Amino acid sequence: MDAGSTTTERVSIVLHSGDMDKLYSALIIGNGALAMGMEASIFFTFWGLQRLRKDDSWAMPPAGLDKGPLSRMNMLGLGKRMMQQRMDNQNVASLERLMADYRELGGRVLACDMTMDIMGVRKEDLREELIDDFAGVGTFIQEARDSAVSLFI
Amino acid sequence: MDAGSTTTERVSIVLHSGDMDKLYSALIIGNGALAMGMEASIFFTFWGLQRLRKDDSWAMPPAGLDKGPLSRMNMLGLGKRMMQQRMDNQNVASLERLMADYRELGGRVLACDMTMDIMGVRKEDLREELIDDFAGVGTFIQEARDSAVSLFI
Amino acid sequence: MDAGSTTTERVSIVLHSGDMDKLYSALIIGNGALAMGMEASIFFTFWGLQRLRKDDSWAMPPAGLDKGPLSRMNMLGLGKRMMQQRMDNQNVASLERLMADYRELGGRVLACDMTMDIMGVRKEDLREELIDDFAGVGTFIQEARDSAVSLFI
């Protein structure tokens, strides 16, 4: 980096997975980057985009968490409810809390428009208040090529 | 980057997963990079390499798609057939089409030779007309260290 | 890179997955980087961290491998035992061997302290002789931003 460089370093993440633990990692990394003065963008694609649906479980108040579809986490031998309990006991921030922090710190949320076409997801199905932009792969690549760190999660 | 730099920026992808949706993402990102004037390389390893087998399902004409082994996509509650139908309805390019475009645009396909040894895959088991080179981890690292974007999918 | 640059290039890997094949890939890439004179760091988080537990299967001598919990590899239609056999037949290094080489070559192993809190894992549950440091997301980002290659596995 030149001493004269004025660009802020950025972390760009493609969140392809819809697994709760992967969403968790994406937000933790995003928030960590923001806390260190970097910029952060998360591109919600494919199964990841499903986590932004209005009817998705983690978006509900805690009481509604059990109503949602089963996460793949269950298949790994650790139930969602147990995981949630552990996180509560350890004062680990909820996904909802992490997302609020992420956005407050200036983190960007991009929804993949191609995924919306394939999956038949309409804008009104999504929590638009969380989304900064609807974008395609070109936007991701443009950002990633200028990022210090790019991850596919 | 120096103003005098003459290297074209590159995207390097390790495709470890054999999931149809991950292959899809790898090719979409690869094609996007190529369309923006970048170079692209995809290293097919482990389960990803299986997608290059002659007897693999997505390599067949559409009619043969149902004959193939079940993708993990099925376990996520969205059937392969339903996915295919959605993609057809939305005029989304098939994997076969995306791969042809990728190669026509100059994208490189590398088959991991160590995976071939471990999995007992012979060259003649693979669709060699799609493969630019058989390579090891050293080749990937050499390319990735010079790439603007490196992803593990 | 300036000709005057004195920093050694680095590969930084987040190992989020606990799948044997993903651990394998992480170590192969790490060892490859080290062999090429680069530095390497692997951050063991979430399911990946479980692989560092004393009671985890791959940490046992070969005879004990079958006693361990089933890997997700089994769900992909390829049994752990069959995989192990294939690897043995091909003289592929075991995970244990790869890890020993990795550390001998100077590769760093970092255990995610936040995962330990969430999962209720104590230091004494882990094979501390394999771990260079217990660290959080800030450490990962600090390393990744200075790395030539960053991967989320």
Side-chain angles (χ1 to χ4, degrees):
Chain A
M1 293 292 148
D2 299 344
S5 171
T6 56
T7 54
T8 304
E9 286 183 297
R10 190 193 295 135
V11 172
S12 294
I13 296 172
V14 175
L15 182 66
H16 175 99
S17 169
D19 295 354
M20 279 175 62
D21 51 303
K22 298 277 186 74
L23 171 56
Y24 191 83
S25 282
L27 288 171
I28 289 283
I29 293 172
N31 282 340
L34 294 165
M36 290 168 74
M38 298 174 77
E39 294 178 351
S41 294
I42 305 180
F43 292 75
F44 286 74
T45 73
F46 242 88
W47 313 109
L49 186 72
Q50 310 304 312
R51 296 288 82 81
L52 295 180
R53 293 179 75 113
K54 282 176 184 162
D55 56 6
D56 194 68
S57 60
W58 77 272
M60 303 286 125
L65 267 168
D66 295 317
K67 294 181 196 157
L70 290 179
S71 138
R72 275 171 63 193
M73 208 177 269
N74 295 66
M75 311 195 313
L76 299 174
L78 193 57
K80 191 159 91 178
R81 196 188 305 234
M82 175 183 145
M83 194 69 186
Q84 194 60 50
Q85 219 157 45
R86 278 245 168 105
M87 287 180 163
D88 289 349
N89 293 347
Q90 301 290 339
N91 285 325
V92 176
S94 68
L95 290 171
E96 201 67 38
R97 179 73 253 153
L98 283 173
M99 177 61 110
D101 289 347
Y102 175 75
R103 289 180 51 74
E104 210 171 291
L105 289 166
R108 294 177 69 224
V109 170
L110 296 138
C112 174
D113 49 22
M114 189 186 287
T115 300
M116 292 172 66
D117 286 347
I118 295 178
M119 301 271 201
V121 177
R122 297 161 306 169
K123 283 193 180 186
E124 57 262 38
D125 297 329
L126 300 173
R127 298 173 68 196
E128 292 188 64
E129 71 278 11
L130 295 183
I131 299 169
D132 292 289
D133 217 346
F134 296 86
V137 66
T139 303
F140 165 67
I141 293 166
Q142 194 59 56
E143 293 213 4
R145 75 197 296 182
D146 292 331
S147 294
V149 182
S150 303
L151 303 172
F152 185 98
I153 296 185
Chain B
M1 293 292 148
D2 299 346
S5 172
T6 55
T7 54
T8 304
E9 286 183 297
R10 189 194 295 134
V11 173
S12 293
I13 297 172
V14 175
L15 181 68
H16 175 99
S17 170
D19 295 354
M20 279 176 63
D21 51 302
K22 297 278 186 71
L23 171 56
Y24 191 82
S25 282
L27 288 171
I28 288 283
I29 293 172
N31 282 339
L34 294 166
M36 290 168 74
M38 298 174 77
E39 293 177 354
S41 294
I42 305 180
F43 291 75
F44 286 74
T45 73
F46 242 88
W47 314 109
L49 186 72
Q50 309 304 312
R51 295 288 81 82
L52 295 180
R53 292 178 75 113
K54 282 177 183 159
D55 56 6
D56 194 69
S57 59
W58 77 272
M60 302 287 125
L65 266 167
D66 295 317
K67 294 179 197 158
L70 290 179
S71 138
R72 275 172 62 194
M73 206 178 269
N74 294 65
M75 310 196 315
L76 298 172
L78 192 58
K80 191 159 92 178
R81 197 188 304 235
M82 176 183 144
M83 194 68 187
Q84 194 60 50
Q85 217 157 47
R86 279 246 168 104
M87 287 182 163
D88 288 349
N89 291 346
Q90 301 290 340
N91 285 325
V92 176
S94 68
L95 290 171
E96 200 66 39
R97 178 75 254 151
L98 284 173
M99 178 60 111
D101 289 348
Y102 175 75
R103 288 179 50 75
E104 209 171 292
L105 289 166
R108 293 177 70 224
V109 171
L110 296 140
C112 174
D113 50 23
M114 188 186 288
T115 300
M116 293 172 65
D117 287 346
I118 295 178
M119 301 270 200
V121 177
R122 298 161 306 170
K123 285 193 181 187
E124 56 262 38
D125 297 328
L126 300 173
R127 298 172 67 196
E128 292 188 64
E129 70 278 12
L130 296 183
I131 299 168
D132 292 290
D133 217 345
F134 297 85
V137 66
T139 304
F140 165 68
I141 292 167
Q142 194 58 57
E143 293 213 3
R145 74 197 295 182
D146 292 331
S147 293
V149 183
S150 303
L151 303 171
F152 185 97
I153 296 185
Chain C
M1 295 290 149
D2 300 345
S5 172
T6 54
T7 54
T8 304
E9 286 184 296
R10 191 194 294 133
V11 172
S12 294
I13 296 173
V14 175
L15 181 66
H16 175 101
S17 170
D19 296 353
M20 279 175 62
D21 50 302
K22 297 276 186 73
L23 172 56
Y24 192 82
S25 283
L27 288 171
I28 289 283
I29 292 172
N31 282 339
L34 293 166
M36 290 167 73
M38 298 174 77
E39 293 177 353
S41 295
I42 305 180
F43 292 75
F44 286 75
T45 74
F46 241 88
W47 314 110
L49 186 71
Q50 309 305 312
R51 295 288 82 82
L52 294 181
R53 293 179 75 113
K54 283 177 184 161
D55 56 6
D56 194 70
S57 59
W58 77 272
M60 303 287 126
L65 266 166
D66 295 317
K67 294 180 195 157
L70 289 179
S71 138
R72 275 171 63 195
M73 207 178 270
N74 294 65
M75 310 195 316
L76 299 172
L78 192 57
K80 191 159 91 178
R81 195 187 306 233
M82 175 183 144
M83 194 68 186
Q84 196 58 50
Q85 219 157 45
R86 279 245 168 104
M87 287 181 165
D88 289 348
N89 292 346
Q90 300 290 339
N91 284 324
V92 176
S94 69
L95 290 172
E96 201 66 37
R97 179 73 253 151
L98 284 173
M99 177 61 110
D101 290 347
Y102 174 75
R103 289 180 49 76
E104 209 172 291
L105 288 166
R108 293 177 70 223
V109 171
L110 295 139
C112 174
D113 50 22
M114 188 186 288
T115 299
M116 291 171 66
D117 287 346
I118 296 177
M119 302 271 201
V121 177
R122 297 161 306 169
K123 284 193 181 187
E124 56 262 40
D125 297 328
L126 300 174
R127 298 172 68 196
E128 292 188 63
E129 71 277 13
L130 295 183
I131 299 170
D132 292 289
D133 217 346
F134 296 86
V137 66
T139 303
F140 166 67
I141 293 167
Q142 195 57 56
E143 293 214 2
R145 75 197 296 182
D146 291 332
S147 293
V149 182
S150 302
L151 303 172
F152 185 97
I153 296 186

